[in-house]
Amino acid sequence: MTDSTRVDFWFDPSCPWAWMTSRWVDEVAPHRDLDVSWHIMSLAILNENNDVSESYRAFFPRALRYAQLVAAAKELHGDAVVKPLYDALGTRIHLGQRTDVDAVMSESLEEVGLPADLVAYAPADPADKPFEFEQQLRASHNSGIELVGQDVGTPILSLNGVAFFGPVISPAPKGEQALTLWDGVVAAASYDGFFELKRSRTRDPIFS
């Protein structure tokens, strides 16, 4: 396969499924001609009017803070910082299983060379400071949702303008398996009439 593939990837930093799919894209990228753009979305925004369990809703404030941090970094420092910041956050959130939000944000900003004061754009109490870039965060979120519809989660993957929720994978495949899966998804996206292929999950996220 020699044609370049335009890839747009929407993620919530807190979503373990998005994290594994993003690692798969990273595995594939050196072996395929990909033009990848990374976009923030938010599970908190996606579910703000949905009937979800109290335990799931309790997760949203923490998840929203991470999404707000990425959105603010993008607006103030450009698209180029989005993926490195996602990598730094995700390594701590998913591989490290860290829940100390302020420390995770501060360490991640330091790792990628971004100003420490960006944490002020993701306050623990929204009453402390209204989120300055809420409109931009919602616009980024909606740009992905408009491609696939509301009945989805993260990640959203768009290939040359054809978008799907997922793929939902565990663990992220490596080597030839990663490339085989990628080529299959690209082939599915090439057919305008392909919409859905699904089975129930039989395992939890496996980070490797």
Side-chain angles (χ1 to χ4, degrees):
M1 300 179 68
T2 58
D3 292 341
S4 178
T5 302
R6 189 178 78 256
V7 179
D8 290 279
F9 192 105
W10 282 263
F11 65 93
D12 183 309
S14 296
C15 177
W17 303 103
W19 175 255
M20 285 183 292
T21 306
S22 72
R23 301 310 93 182
W24 168 59
V25 173
D26 284 349
E27 179 78 7
V28 170
H31 307 283
R32 296 292 184 266
D33 186 4
L34 307 184
D35 179 14
V36 187
S37 296
W38 301 86
H39 310 276
I40 190 66
M41 65 179 294
S42 168
L43 288 169
I45 292 174
L46 182 68
N47 291 283
E48 60 188 351
N49 297 315
N50 294 343
D51 183 15
V52 300
S53 68
E54 287 303 315
S55 60
Y56 190 37
R57 190 166 297 281
F59 150 82
F60 293 154
R62 180 174 79 247
L64 185 58
R65 292 186 71 192
Y66 291 133
Q68 289 174 332
L69 182 70
V70 175
K74 175 187 180 299
E75 293 304 317
L76 295 172
H77 297 277
D79 290 338
V81 305
V82 172
K83 180 57 161 51
L85 182 55
Y86 178 31
D87 290 344
L89 290 168
T91 298
R92 291 165 174 80
I93 295 167
H94 303 298
L95 302 185
Q97 295 293 296
R98 300 272 297 278
T99 58
D100 45 343
V101 179
D102 289 308
V104 167
M105 292 195 298
S106 295
E107 291 172 18
S108 298
L109 291 171
E110 182 178 8
E111 178 180 324
V112 300
L114 288 169
D117 58 9
L118 280 174
V119 297
Y121 291 96
D125 184 353
D128 290 344
K129 178 180 179 181
F131 182 48
E132 183 174 340
F133 300 110
E134 180 176 0
Q135 182 177 351
Q136 291 89 334
L137 171 58
R138 288 181 178 273
S140 179
H141 173 92
N142 290 334
S143 66
I145 293 297
E146 287 169 359
L147 296 175
V148 292
Q150 286 287 339
D151 189 24
V152 300
T154 64
I156 294 171
L157 182 69
S158 174
L159 304 171
N160 292 327
V162 178
F164 302 104
F165 161 53
V168 175
I169 51 179
S170 179
K174 305 287 188 182
E176 285 301 317
Q177 279 192 324
L179 300 179
T180 298
L181 178 60
W182 179 264
D183 293 342
V185 173
V186 171
S190 70
Y191 176 56
D192 181 63
F194 181 86
F195 295 102
E196 185 173 345
L197 182 69
K198 185 174 181 178
R199 64 174 176 161
S200 296
R201 299 175 192 168
T202 58
R203 65 183 65 158
D204 292 330
I206 300 172
F207 304 113
S208 58

